[in-house]
Amino acid sequence: MPAPVFEEFDPANDCECPGCVHWRRVGSSPLPGRFGGHPAARGVLVVAAAASAALATSAPQAAAHSAPPAPHRSAAPVDPDPETPQGAKSPLHGPAGKPLTGPVTTPPSTRTEIINRAKTWVTAKVPYSMSLYWADGYRQDCSGYVSMAWGLTGNEWTGSLGQFGTKITKAELQPGDMLLFHNPDNPEKGSHVVLFGGWTDHTHTAYTAYDQAPPHARRQSTPYAYWSNSAKYVPYRYKGLVADPGAAGAPAGKAAGPFPGAAYFGPGADNRYVTLLGRMLVARGAGGFYGKGPGPVWGPADQRATRAFQQAQGWTGGAADGLPGPRTWELLATGRGSDIKPAGSPAAPASHGVPGYPGKNYFRPGADNDHVTRLGERLAEKGYGSFYTDGPGPRWDEADRRAVEAFQRAQGWRGGAADGYPGPETWRRLFQ
């Protein structure tokens, strides 16, 4: 006999029986059993008691034939079909609420960094909002959440996020990728995006989703691809993705190794060095040249991306032929030189009226870009190189912050003016 299911209910607002009238008067006072005041409720309790007695006699037999533990099941969503109103494309907002300038770019980021950033909002239970911005400058809706996790330099929306990733298949999904559904007919109805955190079982029917939806950011098991509109979600991989340090083929520092030789590149080449070259180029801003991401077979995308990087160094003619040489490889492997500028961006970045100053968002924990290298090299020239054990590099760390702080204190600044993070005035004095 299946166990009866009972549902608690509060006194009805329009019921005039003595019990309901009494419990409406006492308001939020504890209800003895919650059913005590209504005659019908007392009848329910009698039925429940009788059913419990009957079940008690059959419990041993039922236990003997109990089913094995149920397989993994996804938790019920807070809202299976969430309304997802979201703000339009917008720049990041600083502490004072003023938009930061500069083009939206795809800074390099590892899968670990993407997931760790996603976890910060889950831990903080950041409330869902299409108009509010969290302390890190990102809008508190689903697309702002993914913009933050991917480390984009602006707030995107579901209609624009796809341009920062490349389409992949379900079988290729890995932590840090996104699942995107954009409804062009009514963007505020159904459009949504979540971060993929990994499969929850071998059947690949459910996965861990990092999801910014009402009421707040959450991490939960979710059926593939989502609770609703499942067939309309498309997997994407971030164009600026780079390998985690120590991972196979990690395109950073000494992991890239010395230049293998010109014979490994060009028409007909098919080897791991072509893939490694492509990954290093994507990390420097060449993601837009690849439709499906770098691979081992040399193609026109590799040559165009290499030429764009060479031209970003100011090289012309034969020095920018799109085929990597020792110098091209050295700059890519060490993170030095100039990044590829996004289409339509100014020749020299500027912010707050200071030429060359890219904005504070380039100097923060987790930042990895050529502006950090340029800053560190200038600090070393100014006599603050002792803070670096291995020399300045593209990844922002405590050595950069301490060197900047020392320079700021040398200007006579104290307190918040000497926090170790370069603002426009710090930049102007360093490079004047």
Side-chain angles (χ1 to χ4, degrees):
M1 173 180 176
V5 178
F6 303 102
E7 180 180 357
E8 292 187 325
F9 58 86
D10 290 317
N13 290 334
D14 56 353
C15 181
E16 295 301 327
C17 78
C20 285
V21 170
H22 168 72
W23 292 120
R24 282 203 301 272
R25 287 174 180 171
V26 299
S28 59
S29 299
L31 303 181
R34 294 195 68 181
F35 302 105
H38 200 292
R42 285 196 293 272
V44 171
L45 290 178
V46 172
V47 174
S52 297
L55 288 172
T57 61
S58 60
Q61 291 84 351
H65 300 285
S66 61
H72 168 82
R73 288 185 174 89
S74 303
V78 175
D79 183 351
D81 190 13
E83 292 289 343
T84 55
Q86 54 185 310
K89 292 178 60 175
S90 67
L92 296 182
H93 284 233
K98 296 180 179 179
L100 300 175
T101 59
V104 176
T105 61
T106 53
S109 190
T110 67
R111 295 189 184 280
T112 299
E113 290 170 338
I114 291 172
I115 294 300
N116 285 344
R117 284 194 289 263
K119 287 179 179 178
T120 60
W121 276 31
V122 173
T123 301
K125 294 185 177 180
V126 175
Y128 184 93
S129 173
M130 65 172 287
S131 58
L132 298 179
Y133 291 76
W134 196 239
D136 53 17
Y138 292 93
R139 194 176 54 246
Q140 295 169 212
D141 57 16
C142 61
S143 48
Y145 181 47
V146 173
S147 297
M148 177 276 298
W150 275 9
L152 302 181
T153 56
N155 282 289
E156 297 302 312
W157 70 305
T158 55
S160 62
L161 271 171
Q163 67 180 304
F164 298 96
T166 55
K167 292 182 180 180
I168 58 175
T169 65
K170 175 184 176 181
E172 294 174 311
L173 276 167
Q174 295 185 50
D177 297 334
M178 76 172 176
L179 290 164
L180 173 68
F181 165 45
H182 177 64
N183 181 6
D185 297 328
N186 187 356
E188 294 189 4
K189 184 64 176 178
S191 296
H192 195 48
V193 61
V194 298
L195 278 174
F196 181 84
W199 297 110
T200 58
D201 59 21
H202 70 283
T203 65
H204 290 189
T205 56
Y207 66 100
T208 298
Y210 289 88
D211 190 3
Q212 174 68 348
H216 54 69
R218 63 201 180 195
R219 175 183 180 271
Q220 66 173 5
S221 181
T222 302
Y224 186 84
Y226 200 64
W227 303 98
S228 58
N229 299 304
S230 180
K232 299 179 180 178
Y233 278 79
V234 179
Y236 284 84
R237 177 158 298 156
Y238 178 47
K239 286 183 177 179
L241 187 70
V242 295
D244 283 283
K254 297 180 180 179
F259 179 60
Y264 286 88
F265 308 99
D270 184 347
N271 57 77
R272 67 184 183 90
Y273 292 108
V274 176
T275 304
L276 181 55
L277 172 72
R279 289 176 177 171
M280 292 192 292
L281 286 166
V282 167
R284 304 300 294 275
F289 291 94
Y290 294 92
K292 297 183 179 179
V297 179
W298 179 271
D302 297 291
Q303 186 157 4
R304 289 195 298 266
T306 302
R307 181 182 294 112
F309 178 76
Q310 292 168 333
Q311 291 173 340
Q313 316 312 309
W315 305 345
T316 58
D321 58 2
L323 297 172
R327 181 57 178 164
T328 300
W329 187 270
E330 178 189 358
L331 292 177
L332 287 169
T334 60
R336 297 181 181 275
S338 300
D339 289 346
I340 299 172
K341 296 178 176 61
S345 63
S351 179
H352 298 76
V354 179
Y357 178 62
K360 284 188 176 181
N361 50 310
Y362 284 92
F363 310 102
R364 60 180 181 180
D368 190 336
N369 57 78
D370 191 51
H371 300 298
V372 177
T373 303
R374 183 184 176 197
L375 174 74
E377 291 175 344
R378 186 59 173 171
L379 285 165
E381 293 174 5
K382 289 284 189 176
Y384 299 92
S386 61
F387 292 95
Y388 298 96
T389 56
D390 297 324
R395 185 178 294 275
W396 177 269
D397 59 21
E398 184 63 14
D400 296 292
R401 194 199 67 78
R402 291 174 59 200
V404 172
E405 180 184 7
F407 176 79
Q408 290 169 332
R409 288 185 174 277
Q411 312 309 304
W413 304 342
R414 296 294 183 269
D419 59 0
Y421 295 93
E425 183 60 20
T426 299
W427 189 273
R428 187 185 67 80
R429 295 195 183 197
L430 268 173
F431 291 93
Q432 64 182 1

